[in-house]
Amino acid sequence: MKAIVATDQAAEAAGITLAERPEPTPAINDVVVAVHASGFVPAEWEWPSTWVDRSGRDRTRAIIGHEFAGVVSALGYGTTGLSLGQRVFGITDWHRDGTLAEYVAVEARNLAPLPGDVDFTVGASLPISGLTAWQGLFQHGRLRAGQTVLAHGAAGAVGSVVTQLAREFGAYVIGTGRAADRQAALDFGANEFLDLGHDDLDDLGGVDLVFDVIGGDVQRRSASIVRPGGTLVSVVGPVEARPADGLAVDFVVESVPSQLVEIVERVRDGRLRPHIGAVVALDDAIPALNPAERRKGKTVIQVRP
């Protein structure tokens, strides 16, 4: 089968190639899925699991990508709850071969049913961005109606979902980003927008929840405006700055199919709009995963027409 593999950690995206790999076979409680579309997170180059397995041994020519939508094509021994031909979407285990391939083996417990009226491209864009936003807001940020949320990168793949979910649940959302992102952030539902290149975070006063996808100096400045009892949630690694009288949480997104069901239902009824940027075929994916300029939204690789 065709697959995109990582060959050189130092080269990052410049070190990937389209190669032929054996089709996977399902282990106990696994399924094999014929992948129709796969999302991709550029930060995957920074994840240790891309380059080593759980024992710390080098992963040779690992298949990248970890979110997808497709159709179940084989069932492993003992697998229950799924059937051949069923449409599914979800996240694969970080340490296993990924989803930028024609087939992927994945534990059945990590999959949710993809409704027939949701396109595979849309389904593939949802798992990591959607679950990251959901878990950051509700599990770790403990969002409540009436709170003020500072959503960094509000026009991005994750930030746009953060903005929409926070507004749905009654929050006042201040989106941030570059000046060129202003209209997109407002279109996704931000009540107001702050240009990180020119506006001062200190002018905001206080916020109850910061959702940080940037880190560094932006995170440090954001921590100082968290109100007493508030929370700074980070998805960019260990928190470098903590609120003076609040919580700081960093987390890695988990596969929770029940949350995926909540997310995809919001797409179906129009409450949630995923931000999909480029959609390219698997054969043409290498340049799309190593773009010469900044891409807006989620890049989705169409594996099958």
Side-chain angles (χ1 to χ4, degrees), residues 39-223:
F40 182 73
V41 180
E44 190 170 333
W45 314 121
E46 302 167 13
W47 302 345
S49 56
T50 299
W51 308 105
V52 297
D53 64 18
R54 284 191 169 84
S55 299
R57 295 171 299 197
D58 288 344
R59 295 183 66 198
T60 303
R61 296 173 65 81
I63 299 173
I64 58 175
H66 288 284
E67 59 185 334
F68 71 105
V71 174
V72 176
S73 62
L75 303 174
Y77 178 79
T79 299
T80 59
L82 294 171
S83 58
L84 293 175
Q86 183 174 354
R87 303 171 94 249
V88 292
F89 72 126
I91 300 176
T92 64
D93 185 280
W94 310 120
H95 289 87
R96 297 180 69 169
D97 273 341
T99 59
L100 284 169
E102 293 179 296
Y103 295 91
V104 63
V106 57
E107 290 183 83
R109 63 176 181 165
N110 287 332
L111 299 175
L114 182 68
D117 56 355
V118 177
D119 186 81
F120 287 114
T121 299
V122 172
S125 75
L126 295 174
I128 292 180
S129 297
L131 290 175
T132 298
W134 188 279
Q135 292 166 17
L137 287 173
F138 306 129
Q139 289 181 224
H140 304 292
R142 300 168 301 164
L143 179 68
R144 299 189 304 276
Q147 291 187 320
T148 298
V149 174
L150 180 63
H152 286 309
V158 174
S160 60
V161 182
V162 170
T163 298
Q164 293 173 84
L165 289 177
R167 281 295 305 271
E168 178 191 344
F169 283 82
Y172 183 90
V173 180
I174 303 168
T176 79
R178 304 182 186 188
D181 298 326
R182 178 183 300 274
Q183 192 57 53
L186 296 174
D187 289 345
F188 280 115
N191 296 93
E192 58 181 283
F193 181 82
L194 184 141
D195 175 3
L196 290 173
H198 299 91
D199 300 330
D200 192 344
L201 281 168
D202 292 332
D203 292 341
L204 294 178
V207 301
D208 300 292
L209 173 61
V210 173
F211 201 116
D212 179 38
V213 299
I214 299 174
D217 183 59
V218 169
Q219 184 184 98
R220 287 188 288 272
R221 288 187 286 140
S222 299

Side-chain angles (χ1 to χ4, degrees), residues 280-293:
V280 298
L282 184 64
D283 287 344
D284 304 320
I286 302 298
L289 300 178
N290 190 16
E293 57 187 26

